[in-house]
């Protein structure tokens, strides 16, 4: 019952033990999970990431203060039972704002990252694997690398904000616009890295072996190439989430992002910078949220890469 | 008896104190921090306020403005009026009498030729003078005799106090700048960085965008002034650091433009070394109501044009209710502190022009609800009012600015309370104020229902500022979306009064008509909802005396009178 995937990976190893009929079936993902659990940093990061997710997803159901409700009498308050994380300069509850902001920031980060990753891996593999596509696709990548991000985003927002806003509501429209804008403008590094890896892989013996037994192209790519380039993709993904969250806050700051009454972590951070000296917590809290998310995603990526690398696994 | 005697003694001592004034240079060194540093000393080559302040310590105009907006003579001996014959009956010329015995800081006498030359210098078509607007309509400037200058206009000017009035249009020395006219103007670095002036100080060294040092002008016309022997103007840092260096550490005596959040300022003032003062000019933060339909269902080129009236903002009850729901005093407290005042006026100053319209200052949520009820706007299922299927739902846009976003959040909530739904939008300031006819996000295009920004007028004459609201000045595709009648306000009566204004000279009468125009825009039509009368804040050390902050002229307009007081 061996998964063909692990067989493919194992093809890179010097020898493969024949399956004992008495041993229970082993799936590759279970192996990865076992390996992953041994990575202490990654496990802590996973727990942290899941708790951040729970905080922003379940939190608003338990803490029901509106994040945009202005209570002017309660402005600039410190930590209290009524407002566990204090209030901002207009008396809006910081806890509620952090939860609402986290939803948006995480959604933007994850979605934009998956768009960038899908595009980047696709283009990277295509251009690495198919010699004929290499030159045009790499020139396209260079073209995108040369595009200045902000003017391009400005143009996209100007052109598409209103029609999208009308179709999906102001927040939905701008969400789609921002994630696609960030996704479409940040896939190039992934594509470059993946292409390089694929070019190296193509010359390996196991690829030659697979080709010699007549493996069709789609199987070559899905079963042999993709699993072997997963680790650089994972690293790119973790970095991508961080960049997407930061880019979103930069956009909001320029007035191109979400409407101003729509809290995101980046916006909370920027709004608080003016009064950093009097109310340092207002800067620290959203900053901490962004850093912890980015850090935990990085560690998870690190753990995954180690767990998925057949050369490290089992050591 | 003895107590009374003592008190009399104290009172007379207090009276005596200001009389014993200082000698020139007796108060030592004055330090000013300008966090945006001046790049030149020649105001004719820069439109910036920072250069205006630097140059006004050296160069002087014929007349300046007092903090209340009234004119006072500087290099002129008196302000020309119709009564003293300074202004011609046909309003086509004005004659200035110059002060006698004024000398440049190099010791040569100041004459009418210098004034004539300054006008030529700025009006040279190849020179690119930054203050050309001050000379608009001027046909020629001629010297009648060494102490008399006649300025002639192409058309009658009811308000001739523009050229050589205010520090934006000072007199420069002919002998020094003679070779620098026209295209050569920017190349005369030595002259532009160290102009010879008639003012209280003269430049000793100038490092562009860094430090300027001055010393007292030995030829200044008042032998006892300035009290300071030298003046240093240092650039660099940001508004917060500049304010701190005056209010907390006391390194500097004066910091220009310290626009900071009110609680930041009050924290710094607590150190007791200085105070923040605000210069109130004519800057008003206001909401413009779009009287035309900005809906994106309309084809491009017809949105926000007078062809399509707004579906519900044309109802004055709605506009009035929007204004009544706003607590202006709270907006000031949150956003501007001492650098703001609640206002109901579009023209808040000068005093003669400001209407005594104060009925908007009191927030009245219940009154606004009642007004909407009476107008037939009933609360629907979701808490939003509607009439005949039309919901009161607004798009509220402004530029990106922390204070403006706070205002948006507050006002949105107040409007929510009276049953008006608000969607907020922010636009980058360079786009919003950029005036690009191709962009849908400029304040002139106004593809929104209400928008908020601030504007002011130059000098002491609000008439052109009010005249921006005539019917023909509404931005639209036919004028490439230029013009500042962004509310698309159109009232033939208003246009008639604006035309009448151009024929009136008497200041009192002009002011009265101005008040009427102001009221037509605000409390009679609510096409404009004024919010906050804004000043520019500057931090002043407690050890400086006689500082009178001025929103109508350079902040250093009376630097000759500044003294050091014992703390």
């Amino acid at each position: 019952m061996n998964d063909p995937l692990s067989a493919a990976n194992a093809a890179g190893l010097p020898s493969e033990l024949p399956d004992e009929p008495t041993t229970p079936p082993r799936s590759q993902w279970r192996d990865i999970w076992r390996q992953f659990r041994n990575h202490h940093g990654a496990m802590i990061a996973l727990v942290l990431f899941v708790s951040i997710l729970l905080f922003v997803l379940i939190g608003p159901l338990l803490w029901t203060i509106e994040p945009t409700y202005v209570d002017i009498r309660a402005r600039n308050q410190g930590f209290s039972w009524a407002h566990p994380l204090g209030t901002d300069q207009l008396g809006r509850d910081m806890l509620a704002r952090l939860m609402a902001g986290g939803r948006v920031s995480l959604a933007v980060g994850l979605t934009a990252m998956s768009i960038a990753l899908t595009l980047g891996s696709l283009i990277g593999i295509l251009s690495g694997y198919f010699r004929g596509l290499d030159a045009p696709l790499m020139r396209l990548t260079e073209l995108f690398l040369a595009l200045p991000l902000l003017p391009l985003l400005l143009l996209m927002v100007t052109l598409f904000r209103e029609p999208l806003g009308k179709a999906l509501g102001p927040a939905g429209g701008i969400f789609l616009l921002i994630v696609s804008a960030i996704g479409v403008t940040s896939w190039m590094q992934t594509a470059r890295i993946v292409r390089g890896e694929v070019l190296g892989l193509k010359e390996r013996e196991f690829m030659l072996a697979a080709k010699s037994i007549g493996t069709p192209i789609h199987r070559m790519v899905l079963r042999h190439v993709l699993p072997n380039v997963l680790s650089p993709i994972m690293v790119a993904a973790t970095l991508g989430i961080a960049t997407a969250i930061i880019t979103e806050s930069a956009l909001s700051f320029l007035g191109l992002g979400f409407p101003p009454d729509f809290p995101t972590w980046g916006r909370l951070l920027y709004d608080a910078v003016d009064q950093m000296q009097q109310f340092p917590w207002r800067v620290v809290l959203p900053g901490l949220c962004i850093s912890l998310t980015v850090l935990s995603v990085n560690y998870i990526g690190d753990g995954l890469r180690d767990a998925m690398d057949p050369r490290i696994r089992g050591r | 008896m003895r107590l009374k005697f003592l008190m009399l003694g104290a009172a007379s001592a207090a009276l005596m104190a200001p009389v014993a004034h200082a000698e020139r240079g007796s108060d030592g060194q004055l330090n000013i921090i300008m966090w945006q540093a001046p790049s030149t000393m020649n105001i004719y080559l820069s439109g910036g306020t920072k250069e205006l302040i630097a140059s006004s310590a050296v160069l002087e105009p014929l007349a300046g403005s007092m903090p209340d907006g009234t004119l006072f003579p500087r290099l002129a001996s008196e302000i020309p009026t119709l009564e003293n014959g300074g202004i011609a009956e046909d309003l086509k010329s004005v004659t200035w009498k110059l002060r006698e015995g004024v000398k440049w800081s190099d010791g040569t006498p100041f004459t009418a030729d210098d004034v004539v030359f300054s006008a030529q210098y700025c009006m040279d078509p190849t020179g690119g003078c930054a203050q050309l607007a001050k000379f608009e309509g001027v046909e020629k400037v001629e010297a009648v005799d060494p102490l008399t200058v006649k300025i002639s206009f192409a058309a009658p000017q009811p308000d001739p106090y523009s050229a050589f009035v205010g520090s934006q249009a000072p007199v420069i020395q002919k002998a020094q700048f003679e070779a620098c006219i026209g295209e050569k103007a920017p190349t005369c670095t030595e002259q532009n960085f160290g102009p010879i002036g008639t003012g209280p100080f003269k430049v000793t060294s100038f490092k562009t965008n860094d430090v300027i040092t001055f010393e007292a002008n030995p030829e200044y016309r008042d032998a006892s002034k300035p009290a300071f022997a030298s003046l240093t103007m240092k650039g660099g840092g940001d508004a917060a650091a500049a304010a701190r260096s005056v209010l907390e550490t006391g390194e500097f005596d004066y910091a220009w433009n310290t626009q900071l959040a009110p609680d930041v300022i009050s924290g710094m003032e607590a150190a007791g070394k200085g105070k923040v003062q605000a210069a109130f000019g004519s800057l008003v933060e206001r909401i413009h109501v779009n009287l035309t339909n900005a809906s994106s269902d309309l084809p491009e080129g017809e949105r926000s044009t007078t062809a399509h009236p707004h579906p519900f903002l044309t109802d004055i009850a709605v506009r009035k209710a929007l204004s009544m729901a706003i607590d202006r005093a709270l907006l000031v407290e949150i956003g501007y502190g001492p650098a703001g005042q609640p206002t109901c006026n579009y023209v808040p100053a000068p005093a003669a022009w400001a209407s005594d319209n104060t009925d908007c200052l009191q927030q009245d949520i219940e009154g606004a609800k009642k007004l909407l009820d009476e107008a037939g706007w009933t609360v629907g299922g979701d808490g939003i009012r509607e009439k005949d299927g039309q919901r009161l739902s607004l798009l509220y846009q402004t530029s990106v600015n922390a204070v403006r976003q706070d205002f948006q959040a507050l006002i949105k909530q107040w409007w929510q309370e009276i049953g008006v739904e608000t969607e907020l939008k922010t636009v980058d300031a360079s786009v919003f104020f950029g005036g690009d006819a191709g962009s849908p996000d400029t304040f002139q295009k106004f593809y929104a229902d209400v928008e908020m920004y601030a504007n002011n007028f130059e000098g002491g004459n609000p008439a052109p500022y009010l005249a921006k609201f005539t019917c023909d000045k509404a931005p639209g595709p036919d004028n490439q979306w230029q013009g500042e009648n962004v509310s698309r306000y159109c009232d033939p009566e208003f246009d008639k009064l604006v035309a009448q204004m151009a024929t009136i000279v008497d200041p009192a009468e002009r002011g009265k008509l101005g008040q009427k125009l102001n009221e037509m825009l605000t409390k009679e039509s609510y096409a404009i909802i004024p919010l906050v009368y804004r000043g520019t804040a500057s931090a002043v050390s407690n050890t400086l005396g006689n500082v009178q902050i001025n929103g109508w002229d350079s902040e250093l307009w009376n630097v000759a009178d500044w003294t050091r007081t014992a703390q």
Side-chain angles (χ1 to χ4, degrees):
Chain A
M1 292 305 286
N2 206 348
D3 192 297
L5 196 59
S6 67
N9 283 336
L13 294 173
S15 68
E16 191 192 356
L17 294 170
D19 270 352
E20 295 288 327
T22 49
T23 50
R26 287 172 60 202
S27 95
Q28 186 205 14
W29 292 107
R30 189 169 297 173
D31 277 0
I32 291 177
W33 171 239
R34 188 176 305 148
Q35 182 66 29
F36 186 83
R37 271 193 321 205
N38 290 336
H39 194 300
H40 292 294
M43 276 313 284
I44 296 173
L46 186 68
V47 172
L48 201 64
F49 189 65
V50 170
S51 26
I52 293 176
L53 276 182
L54 288 179
F55 172 68
V56 303
L57 292 178
I58 314 286
L61 304 177
L62 305 174
W63 187 252
T64 50
I65 295 186
E66 274 285 309
T68 54
Y69 179 73
V70 176
D71 181 6
I72 208 72
R73 282 167 307 244
R75 67 179 191 264
N76 294 333
Q77 284 192 352
F79 303 154
S80 67
W81 284 113
H83 301 288
L85 297 180
T87 56
D88 71 356
Q89 76 278 9
L90 294 179
R92 293 174 291 200
D93 184 70
M94 278 302 283
L95 180 60
R97 286 176 79 71
L98 275 179
M99 293 191 295
R103 275 187 174 193
V104 183
S105 289
L106 282 179
V108 167
L110 292 172
T111 324
M113 181 269 294
S114 10
I115 295 176
L117 224 56
T118 318
L119 262 177
S121 325
L122 183 73
I123 290 178
I125 289 177
L126 284 182
S127 86
Y129 197 80
F130 302 102
R131 195 179 291 268
L133 286 176
D134 192 18
L137 281 179
M138 278 303 109
R139 295 303 84 74
L140 181 77
T141 312
E142 274 150 24
L143 184 102
F144 266 87
L145 274 172
L147 279 180
L149 181 61
L150 276 180
L152 187 74
L153 288 172
L154 241 165
L155 188 75
M156 287 177 77
V157 172
T158 310
L159 287 180
F160 303 123
R161 170 144 69 180
E162 274 193 44
L164 278 177
K166 214 157 63 174
L168 302 165
I174 206 82
F175 178 80
L176 191 69
L177 196 60
I178 286 185
V179 294
S180 43
I182 297 177
V184 163
T185 49
S186 53
W187 54 266
M188 295 82 71
Q189 279 79 4
T190 320
R192 274 291 174 90
I193 296 166
V194 169
R195 170 182 170 269
E197 290 276 318
V198 173
L199 281 180
L201 269 180
K202 246 177 29 177
E203 307 304 320
R204 301 276 286 275
E205 289 85 353
F206 77 93
M207 292 289 283
L208 200 65
K211 209 179 258 178
S212 69
I213 58 168
T215 318
I217 287 178
H218 70 272
R219 194 157 296 181
M220 288 291 287
V221 169
L222 290 179
R223 293 274 156 88
H224 299 274
V225 178
L226 201 54
N228 281 295
V229 296
L230 260 185
S231 51
I233 293 181
M234 278 299 164
V235 177
T238 54
L239 294 176
I241 292 186
T243 325
I245 292 180
I246 304 288
T247 312
E248 182 278 316
S249 44
L251 280 178
S252 298
F253 186 63
L254 285 174
L256 300 172
F258 290 93
D261 51 341
F262 214 83
T264 70
W265 282 345
R267 175 172 288 280
L268 291 181
L269 189 63
Y270 274 124
D271 283 356
V273 165
D274 279 349
Q275 293 166 330
M276 193 154 66
Q277 277 193 316
Q278 285 112 339
F279 311 105
W281 279 110
R282 275 192 229 152
V283 184
V284 171
L285 288 172
L288 204 65
C289 286
I290 298 179
S291 318
L292 283 182
T293 309
V294 171
L295 204 66
S296 63
V297 173
N298 260 326
Y299 263 97
I300 294 173
D302 199 37
L304 269 183
R305 191 198 55 206
D306 288 358
M308 287 200 286
D309 191 331
R311 282 171 293 265
I312 298 178
R313 196 190 310 156
R315 245 182 257 165
Chain B
M1 276 311 276
R2 224 177 125 190
L3 184 70
K4 195 174 173 186
F5 181 75
L6 275 176
M7 281 172 72
L8 265 175
S12 59
L15 278 172
M16 290 293 283
V19 179
H21 52 222
E23 279 174 52
R24 173 175 298 161
S26 61
D27 284 350
Q29 163 83 11
L30 171 63
N31 291 313
I32 295 179
I33 183 156
M34 311 267 293
W35 57 274
Q36 296 171 45
S39 59
T40 177
M41 286 294 294
N42 185 350
I43 189 63
Y44 286 124
L45 299 182
S46 163
T49 311
K50 53 198 174 82
E51 283 81 20
L52 176 73
I53 289 177
S55 88
S56 68
V58 172
L59 299 171
E60 287 182 295
L62 296 181
S65 299
M66 308 267 268
D68 62 359
T70 54
L71 298 178
F72 73 102
R74 291 186 75 159
L75 291 173
S77 59
E78 60 179 5
I79 299 290
T81 57
L82 271 176
E83 286 74 48
N84 66 19
I87 300 179
E89 286 295 334
D90 63 356
L91 307 179
K92 287 183 84 168
S93 72
V94 57
T95 308
W96 292 87
K97 295 263 183 232
L98 305 186
R99 198 185 280 265
E100 275 178 63
V102 176
K103 280 187 177 156
W104 294 100
S105 59
D106 61 357
T108 55
F110 159 78
T111 68
D113 284 341
D114 294 309
V115 182
V116 173
F117 172 77
S118 302
Q120 283 168 358
Y121 179 85
C122 187
M123 287 159 67
D124 191 299
T126 57
C129 176
Q131 307 292 345
L132 201 57
K134 281 284 207 181
F135 294 88
E136 203 175 285
V138 174
E139 198 172 47
K140 65 173 189 279
V141 179
E142 55 199 331
V144 177
D145 63 56
L147 289 178
T148 313
V149 177
K150 186 176 171 203
I151 302 176
S152 311
F153 303 102
Q157 290 274 355
D159 184 83
Y161 307 116
S162 175
F164 300 115
V165 176
S167 305
Q168 292 92 347
V171 182
I172 54 177
Q173 195 192 33
K174 182 178 181 185
Q176 190 190 17
F177 280 91
E178 210 158 18
C180 297
I181 204 157
E183 282 166 357
K184 285 187 291 247
T187 61
C188 292
T189 312
E190 194 191 320
Q191 286 86 339
N192 293 334
F193 286 1
I196 293 169
T198 55
F201 288 96
K202 65 176 197 178
V203 184
T204 51
S205 82
F206 182 94
K207 287 188 198 135
T208 187
N209 291 329
D210 187 10
V211 186
I212 317 171
T213 55
F214 302 86
E215 62 180 29
N217 175 4
E219 305 287 345
Y220 189 60
R221 55 184 175 271
D222 186 335
S224 64
K225 290 173 183 174
F228 288 99
S230 55
L231 160 63
T232 303
M233 233 178 242
K234 171 119 181 53
D238 56 36
R244 187 163 293 122
S245 67
V246 172
L247 301 175
E248 279 184 3
T249 66
E251 292 164 82
F252 286 88
D253 300 309
Y254 191 91
W256 165 74
N257 195 5
T258 52
Q259 195 78 57
L260 296 166
D263 32 2
V264 177
I265 295 269
S266 52
M268 290 183 186
E269 280 181 339
K273 289 225 157 91
K275 285 255 175 309
V276 166
Q277 293 190 6
F280 285 93
S282 55
L283 191 64
V284 171
E285 184 87 26
R286 63 285 184 90
I287 291 177
H288 281 277
V289 178
N290 195 344
L291 298 173
T292 61
N293 194 348
S295 163
S296 54
D297 297 332
L298 293 171
E300 192 62 36
E302 289 187 29
R303 299 176 68 182
S304 285
T305 60
T306 39
H308 301 277
H310 197 278
F312 58 87
L313 284 174
T314 40
D315 182 351
I316 187 163
V318 177
R319 303 200 296 269
K320 188 171 180 191
L322 292 180
S323 172
M324 285 164 82
I326 296 171
D327 183 351
R328 289 164 173 82
L330 188 60
L331 291 181
V332 170
E333 192 188 322
I334 299 266
Y336 297 102
Q341 294 167 10
T343 186
C344 306
N345 277 328
Y346 172 67
V347 175
W353 292 70
S355 159
D356 54 355
N357 169 18
T358 52
D359 44 335
C360 79
L361 295 183
Q362 192 65 42
Q363 184 189 28
D364 187 4
I365 298 262
E366 290 312 312
K369 282 184 185 165
K370 200 158 148 261
L371 189 68
L372 288 174
D373 282 336
E374 281 165 9
W377 296 95
T378 50
V379 181
D382 53 355
I384 305 305
R385 285 174 193 269
E386 54 189 29
K387 180 161 96 176
D388 309 330
Q390 178 64 54
R391 296 172 81 240
L392 288 185
S393 176
L394 295 171
L395 177 62
Y396 176 9
Q397 72 175 10
T398 187
S399 70
V400 177
N401 171 311
V403 174
R404 292 207 169 115
Q405 264 77 82
D406 284 354
F407 279 21
Q408 276 187 315
L410 275 167
I411 291 173
K412 174 180 174 158
Q413 181 147 325
W414 288 325
W415 286 351
Q416 185 77 40
E417 281 178 44
I418 62 166
V420 177
E421 182 184 54
T422 316
E423 183 196 324
L424 304 183
K425 179 178 168 188
T426 54
V427 183
D428 183 56
S430 58
V431 176
F432 192 61
F433 298 113
D436 175 11
S439 165
D441 287 332
T442 62
F443 78 95
Q444 290 106 329
K445 236 175 197 174
F446 203 172
Y447 283 177
D449 302 301
V450 290
E451 67 180 359
M452 176 171 71
Y453 64 93
N455 204 354
N456 62 342
F457 53 91
E458 294 287 327
N461 178 20
Y465 183 59
L466 282 163
K468 286 175 181 169
F469 281 85
T470 52
C471 297
D472 56 329
K473 300 232 174 68
D478 46 332
N479 58 10
Q480 278 69 54
W481 302 97
Q482 302 306 313
E484 288 202 33
N485 183 1
V486 292
S487 292
R488 280 81 166 145
Y489 173 81
C490 185
D491 183 348
E493 180 65 16
F494 185 89
D495 288 18
K496 217 164 74 193
L497 291 180
V498 166
Q500 204 180 326
M501 178 73 91
T503 62
I504 301 176
V505 182
D506 178 49
E509 220 173 304
R510 284 172 70 80
K512 230 164 85 189
L513 189 57
Q515 288 184 18
K516 173 69 188 152
L517 292 172
N518 176 22
E519 283 171 11
M520 288 176 82
L521 291 174
T522 54
K523 74 171 180 186
E524 286 172 23
S525 71
Y526 294 96
I528 298 171
I529 303 175
L531 302 174
V532 180
Y533 178 20
R534 284 172 52 188
T536 41
S538 290
V540 186
S541 163
N542 285 341
T543 64
L544 273 191
N546 287 342
V547 175
Q548 275 193 54
I549 200 148
N550 189 335
W552 302 100
D553 207 329
S554 159
E555 290 185 15
L556 298 191
W557 68 287
N558 70 339
V559 68
D561 302 332
W562 290 14
T563 57
R564 176 79 64 200
T565 57
Q567 172 73 349

